Amino acid sequence: MAAVYQALHRRVSSLACRLHSTYVRKMRYLNQLKEDDSLCRQAQTSGTFYLFHNLSPFLQKVGKKYLVPQLSAAETRQILEKLQEAEQWMEKSVLIGCSDEHRPRFALDLGWDDSSSSSSPASTTLDKSVIEAELQGSFTDLRKALFVVDRKDSPLLASAQSLLRWHDSHQYCSKTGQPTEKNPAGSKRVCHASGVTYYPQVSPVVITLVSDGSRCLLARQPSFPPGMFTALSGFCDMGECF
Ligand SMILES: [Zn+2]
């Protein structure tokens, strides 16, 4: 019995160790892409892309399932060529992770109104229906998308959207009012007038499920549609403990 336990323990610890080293290697690689702009531009040519339009992710319905397609760089470029500004659009993508094999993943919002950039005026945003027809799918509100996509895709979609949203709302320096410029990975924005660097901020939030056997406590706001309830949750204020 002790021998079986020891063998099992060894297997579990070697698996944990492997998972841990895979995670560490991935994080190191992602950090390299965030720091090294030319490496990141190179990665854009071999990476996969998740498309968004005005912060809504692109989904494809296959049978009864909703899939979140990952486009290759070539497929993404094909779509962008319709804009005749493929290179500028590739630059707008943000790094959102990588596979275990270190294939980088990017998110790109084709409806982004990049008003801070003089080289790509807002009029060049892609028409949503044109892309939907071309790729046979639809841009879906994230809150609805999270209910229908595979569970493994949800965290990536949510973090991609929050990073895209941060870029959308931080196009100007809050000190000088000058346009900020994103780095290729999208891990920061810099104001060249004041030298201020902006990093995506984290907004701590707590969500709890108070349960009692098979029952749980839910709440609702008057603004919710009928039948909608939520677990108790809220944002943490500055200095407030969880
Ligand atoms: Zn500034």
Side-chain angles (χ1 to χ4, degrees):
M1 191 64 192
V4 171
Y5 174 76
Q6 273 178 9
L8 189 67
H9 180 72
R10 267 203 305 277
R11 272 188 71 176
V12 170
S13 10
S14 97
L15 178 68
C17 198
R18 257 203 329 270
L19 286 174
H20 180 254
S21 68
T22 305
Y23 177 80
V24 171
R25 276 203 304 274
K26 271 168 71 169
M27 288 303 127
R28 282 197 183 130
Y29 175 62
L30 290 172
N31 269 329
Q32 265 183 314
L33 294 181
K34 289 177 187 175
E35 296 303 320
D36 187 336
D37 291 352
S38 62
L39 190 69
C40 188
R41 285 199 179 91
Q42 220 179 323
Q44 280 173 352
T45 61
S46 60
T48 54
F49 289 76
Y50 290 85
L51 299 185
F52 285 73
H53 197 283
N54 280 329
L55 302 175
S56 294
F58 180 75
L59 304 186
Q60 262 171 342
K61 194 174 181 202
V62 177
K64 283 185 177 173
K65 282 188 170 172
Y66 285 87
L67 306 179
V68 188
Q70 293 183 48
L71 273 67
S72 69
E75 288 166 327
T76 309
R77 204 168 279 274
Q78 231 173 24
I79 298 289
L80 297 177
E81 245 127 51
K82 295 188 181 302
L83 268 183
Q84 300 167 334
E85 285 179 17
E87 287 314 317
Q88 283 173 22
W89 276 94
M90 292 304 258
E91 285 274 323
K92 288 174 193 175
S93 59
V94 296
L95 180 69
I96 51 170
C98 71
S99 67
D100 287 348
E101 296 75 34
H102 291 189
R103 190 161 190 209
R105 294 173 175 144
F106 294 91
L108 178 58
D109 195 321
L110 298 173
W112 193 23
D113 174 4
D114 189 3
S115 55
S116 66
S117 171
S118 54
S119 58
S120 48
S123 59
T124 59
T125 58
L126 266 175
D127 185 356
K128 194 167 93 165
S129 55
V130 172
I131 314 162
E132 289 179 331
E134 178 81 16
L135 294 176
Q136 298 178 359
S138 59
F139 292 99
T140 310
D141 183 83
L142 180 71
R143 280 165 299 185
K144 290 180 190 155
L146 292 179
F147 280 103
V148 294
V149 298
D150 192 287
R151 193 182 285 186
K152 73 173 174 22
D153 292 319
S154 304
L156 201 66
L157 282 187
S159 60
Q161 199 226 39
S162 74
L163 185 56
L164 290 170
R165 186 190 291 280
W166 180 80
H167 280 283
D168 186 40
S169 56
H170 288 76
Q171 297 181 47
Y172 295 92
C173 175
S174 56
K175 189 176 180 188
T176 58
Q178 294 299 310
T180 55
E181 189 188 7
K182 79 181 258 299
N183 66 337
S187 59
K188 60 184 173 190
R189 297 187 74 89
V190 177
C191 169
H192 296 295
S194 59
V196 178
T197 303
Y198 294 90
Y199 294 97
Q201 80 265 33
V202 176
S203 306
V205 62
V206 181
I207 183 159
T208 58
L209 186 67
V210 181
S211 62
D212 173 29
S214 60
R215 304 183 308 158
C216 66
L217 179 66
L218 299 175
R220 56 174 276 111
Q221 292 178 11
S223 61
F224 287 179
M228 181 174 166
F229 292 84
T230 165
L232 306 177
S233 62
F235 283 98
C236 275
D237 275 336
M238 199 85 83
E240 194 179 26
C241 95
F242 281 95

